[in-house]
Amino acid sequence: MAFKPTASARQLIPDPRFGDLVVSKFINCVMERGKKAVAQRIVYDAMDIIDQKLSKETAPEAPKAAIEVFQRAIENVKPFVEVRSKRIGGANYQVPIQVNRKRQQALSFRWIIDAARGDKGRGMASKLADELYGAAKGEGKAMGVRDQTHRMADANKAFAHFA
């Protein structure tokens, strides 16, 4: 059976500032209670904070723009395998399975946003900027969640034949 995109996938339009569908999807994931303008302001303020950090950056391999940091952060946080509980013969096994592209993106968005929301005491834009910047470097809470997921899958690879 062929893949049929959902209505939300067909109606997604690129964001106004970067013209990127992934940023638009990320804004929708940040959004709470239908307040899209607030979510856009949070994401764009976070991008502005990242731009300020990049202007102070001296490393030659550092990204030049905030959108590059965003894309690198999403790529770094994407998990390749995860464990799913499977009941076989009266016992539950944590079976490692590969993650498809859409779920990889959804999990990376969720982990970055949850990590930013988990911090207390600052504005969401600065917390999100720190998390994206850290994830682009390969550090931060979202990267920890990804590493934990990969460690769990690696520890249970003996059960991979149940997949």
Side-chain angles (χ1 to χ4, degrees):
M1 183 174 221
F3 170 73
K4 184 178 177 186
T6 61
S8 63
R10 284 192 302 262
Q11 293 173 355
L12 190 65
I13 56 172
D15 76 295
R17 188 167 176 188
F18 298 107
D20 191 1
L21 285 172
V22 178
V23 175
S24 181
K25 182 88 170 158
F26 187 74
I27 288 170
N28 287 345
C29 290
V30 170
M31 179 172 53
E32 288 182 337
R33 298 188 197 104
K35 299 187 179 227
K36 190 161 191 160
V38 173
Q40 278 181 330
R41 189 171 65 240
I42 288 170
V43 172
Y44 292 151
D45 287 350
M47 295 291 194
D48 292 339
I49 293 168
I50 291 171
D51 275 331
Q52 290 172 358
K53 287 183 182 186
L54 289 176
S55 65
K56 298 173 188 170
E57 190 72 43
T58 57
E61 71 278 351
K64 305 293 183 238
I67 190 72
E68 293 175 36
V69 171
F70 174 79
Q71 290 166 345
R72 192 178 291 183
I74 297 300
E75 284 301 314
N76 285 350
V77 175
K78 281 182 180 177
F80 301 113
V81 289
E82 67 178 347
V83 290
R84 287 271 175 98
S85 186
K86 200 163 196 178
R87 186 170 177 85
I88 296 165
N92 286 327
Y93 297 103
Q94 295 290 320
V95 180
I97 59 165
Q98 286 190 337
V99 185
N100 69 20
R101 284 185 301 112
K102 287 181 80 170
R103 181 154 171 80
Q104 282 181 350
Q105 187 182 59
L107 286 173
S108 65
F109 285 176
R110 187 180 314 156
W111 292 342
I112 289 171
I113 293 166
D114 287 348
R117 285 186 180 143
D119 289 345
K120 298 294 178 202
R122 295 183 296 156
M124 181 63 183
S126 65
K127 295 186 295 188
L128 187 60
D130 287 348
E131 193 58 42
L132 285 170
Y133 196 72
K137 286 182 163 181
E139 47 196 49
K141 289 182 188 173
M143 284 300 295
V145 173
R146 174 191 177 260
D147 292 341
Q148 182 68 28
T149 303
H150 280 184
R151 274 196 299 272
M152 189 99 127
D154 194 44
N156 289 300
K157 68 180 168 190
F159 305 121
H161 64 280
F162 289 133

